[in-house]
């Protein structure tokens, strides 16, 4: 039996493939490579000494989905495939709703036709909107989303919940990621953004490697200890292991589970800059800029539910996240292109 990993060539997907293969799972990846390179999968194979069955294709394409479920014995699907750039989603809502929402509905429809009713879905902390409480627990109500991207996650959560409610054969696990950063210890796989990065850590590493001149810090007048925005950064390898724990939970027929995956520790932009500098002995020049529209002062979770029910705890701290992000970036200044 195999695990179907959609979007498995991407940042979080490739790290999850490593953990799955190391745990002895057979892995089938479906990815259209719209935001990734097949080289990530070659490197996963090199790191684990195991093979991945790769299908280049789209979750919107029923033909390839049917082919996969006919040829492979898929027991569960970990569903990462999706578009994820918040700003781009504002400019291209149709593309985001079609790819993420229609794509997921197509995938789920083909899954049920083939009797595979176990899915782990990549959701995001962004579904909480302006959070009603900090730290954010899963009991915190979902909020108004800031972008079409965030709405796709919020809507898909509800769709999966309703599908599970109507058919109890489904096991649905929704994982709400906080801020994934870091890379595999080997420095062979990592985050490979297209163009100028939107997110903090890839921006910092590109300043460190000399591709960008300085970091812009979006506001230092927030109501936080040092005035810069606070987030719950989580090492991508810890996040990947959370998916393996979720698969174990599916074996227990959980039916429905919703979990925050974060460390529970809020770190500011300045904490990230200072920790990166100290861990890697590199200066990060920065300038203070205006606040970025839509940003919230503090966003961090309580990961207690994942600890109690999945037996999952994040092991890595911010220093390791900074070291590992830098190892990946400095060894691969052009991502998978060199
Ligand atoms: P990524 O872009 O690196 O990976 C997504 C993968 O899906 C890519 O390899 C892309 O080529 C593929 N893909 C996109 N649309 C597809 C389609 N229609 N058919 C087949 N493949 C398709 O992103 P990531 O950071 O690894 O994120 C993985 C998932 O986690 C996404 O669903 C994302 O929204 C979610 N997520 C990410 C973050 C984050 O900060 N990275 C935070 C919360 C949630
Ligand atoms: N920041 C800067 N300068 C930059 C980039 C970011 O100061 O160049 C700051 C932001 O203002 C924020 C913090 O760094 O305070 C983190 O910003 P990111 O863009 O790295 O991450 P966000 O918390 O804004 O958003 C991320 C993902 C979303 C996801 C959300 C919650 O990009 O997809 O986490 O999971 F929805």
């Amino acid at each position: 039996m195999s695990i179907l990993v959609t979007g498995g060539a991407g940042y979080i997907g490739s790290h999850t493939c490593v953990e799955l293969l190391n745990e002895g799972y057979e892995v089938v990846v479906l990815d259209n490579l719209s935001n990734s390179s097949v080289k990530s999968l070659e490197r996963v194979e090199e790191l684990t000494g195991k093979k991945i069955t790769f299908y280049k294709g789209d979750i919107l394409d029923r033909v390839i989905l049917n082919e996969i479920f006919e040829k492979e014995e898929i027991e569960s699907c970990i569903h990462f495939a999706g578009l994820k750039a918040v700003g781009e989603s504002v400019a291209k809502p149709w593309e985001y709703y079609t790819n993420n929402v229609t794509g997921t509905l197509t995938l789920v429809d083909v899954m049920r036709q083939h009797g595979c009713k176990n899915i782990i879905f990549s959701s995001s902390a962004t579904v909480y909107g302006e959070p009603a409480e900090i730290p954010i627990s899963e009991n915190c109500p979902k909020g108004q989303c800031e972008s079409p991207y965030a709405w796709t996650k919020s809507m898909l959560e509800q769709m999966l919940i309703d599908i599970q409610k109507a058919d109890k054969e489904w096991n649905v696990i929704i994982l709400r990621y906080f801020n994934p950063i870091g890379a595999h210890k080997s420095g062979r796989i990592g985050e490979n953004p297209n163009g100028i990065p939107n997110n903090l850590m890839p921006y910092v590493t590109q300043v460190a490697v000399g591709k960008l001149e300085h970091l812009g810090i979006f506001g230092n007048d927030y109501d936080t200890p040092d005035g810069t925005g606070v987030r719950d950064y989580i090492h991508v390898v810890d996040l990947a292991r959370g998916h393996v724990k979720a698969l174990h939970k599916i074996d227990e027929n959980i039916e429905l589970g919703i979990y925050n995956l974060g460390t529970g520790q809020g770190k500011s932009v300045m904490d990230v800059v200072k920790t990166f500098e100290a861990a890697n002995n590199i200066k990060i020049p920065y300038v203070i800029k205006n606040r970025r529209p839509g940003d919230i002062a503090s966003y961090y979770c309580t990961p207690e539910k994942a600890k109690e029910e999945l037996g999952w705890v994040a092991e890595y701290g911010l220093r390791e996240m900074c070291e590992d992000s830098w190892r990946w970036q400095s060894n691969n200044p052009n991502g998978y292109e060199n």
Side-chain angles (χ1 to χ4, degrees), residues 97 227 242:
Y97 286 114

Side-chain angles (χ1 to χ4, degrees), residues 7-10 29-41 54-58 81 83 194:
V29 166
L30 171 65
D31 199 306
N32 65 5
L33 303 180
S34 59
N35 195 38
S36 53
S37 162
V38 75
K39 284 193 188 142
S40 67
L41 296 177
F54 176 55
Y55 290 83
K56 181 173 183 297
D58 206 291
L83 299 174
N194 278 330

Side-chain angles (χ1 to χ4, degrees), residues 124 126 177-179 198-200 216-218 231 233 292 295:
S124 167
T126 192
Y177 311 155
F178 279 67
N179 288 56
N198 297 307
N199 300 115
L200 180 62
I217 294 184
F218 298 142
R231 295 290 182 274
Y233 296 97
R292 185 171 64 178
D295 272 359

